[in-house]
Amino acid sequence: MKIKNIAYCAMLTTLAMIFGYVEALIPFQFGLPGIKLGVANIVIVIALYLLPAGQVFAIQGMRIILVSFLFGNMSMMLYSLAGGFLSLSIMLILKKTNWFSMVGISVVGGVSHNIGQLIVAAFVVQNLKVAFYVPALLIAGLITGCLIGMLAYKIKPILEQYLK
């Protein structure tokens, strides 16, 4: 990996961590526990379009691990890793098809992130009643994914200019 790409990964990881920290400080309440905007995912969605897949996975993994150790706990890490890697994998697959816009890919990422977390929750609590939470999580993933995708779409050209 070139030094330039290492610097980009470090910068994007740091930016995602800052977004995650700021989001943790601001109490957004969507009425249901565990639902948040996921502002750090702006960085991940943009990185999908600027960097190779392996580097995006590294950014996602480092962000989740570092934010969990610094501002959360092991439970947060478990849920975030499941949701983060499932959503990133699906977003990468969909991006390769060229069938979806950046906003569409972000929406699918938001929904799949919530599904990944719900799968972990089902294993942790050993109860399938968590499935009653699916409609709320799907709606939340749709809304937050759309917002994150629109922001990423607007920010990407600015970041590309800066990185040249």
Side-chain angles (χ1 to χ4, degrees):
M1 189 179 343
K2 294 180 184 177
I3 292 175
K4 186 177 176 181
N5 283 355
I6 292 170
Y8 288 160
C9 288
M11 180 189 69
L12 292 173
T13 301
T14 303
L15 187 60
M17 287 178 60
I18 291 167
F19 285 166
Y21 176 67
V22 169
E23 186 174 38
L25 291 176
I26 301 169
F28 289 113
Q29 293 298 324
F30 292 102
L32 295 170
I35 294 177
K36 62 182 187 170
L37 186 54
V39 181
N41 291 318
I42 294 170
V43 174
I44 300 303
V45 172
I46 292 172
L48 281 172
Y49 289 86
L50 299 178
L51 299 171
Q55 292 175 20
V56 183
F57 271 103
I59 292 167
Q60 180 80 305
M62 290 305 297
R63 174 190 67 87
I64 291 169
I65 291 167
L66 291 171
V67 167
S68 296
F69 278 130
L70 293 172
F71 315 118
N73 54 45
M74 292 303 288
S75 176
M76 175 184 166
M77 185 186 304
L78 179 65
Y79 285 99
S80 295
L81 285 171
F85 284 128
L86 177 64
S87 68
L88 181 54
S89 299
I90 292 172
M91 288 190 297
L92 281 165
I93 291 167
L94 293 180
K95 182 182 172 284
K96 289 183 183 202
T97 67
N98 291 322
W99 294 349
F100 295 88
S101 68
M102 183 182 280
V103 175
I105 288 173
S106 178
V107 167
V108 172
V111 170
S112 58
H113 188 279
N114 289 344
I115 290 171
Q117 290 185 327
L118 195 62
I119 291 168
V120 170
F123 280 110
V124 169
V125 298
Q126 299 281 317
N127 192 331
L128 292 178
K129 290 183 180 180
V130 296
F132 290 114
Y133 207 39
V134 169
L137 288 177
L138 293 180
I139 292 168
L142 179 75
I143 294 168
T144 60
C146 188
L147 291 171
I148 295 301
M150 289 188 294
L151 287 169
Y153 179 77
K154 292 291 186 183
I155 294 170
K156 181 181 168 262
I158 298 165
L159 188 58
E160 282 178 320
Q161 255 185 347
Y162 174 75
L163 293 176
K164 285 184 181 178

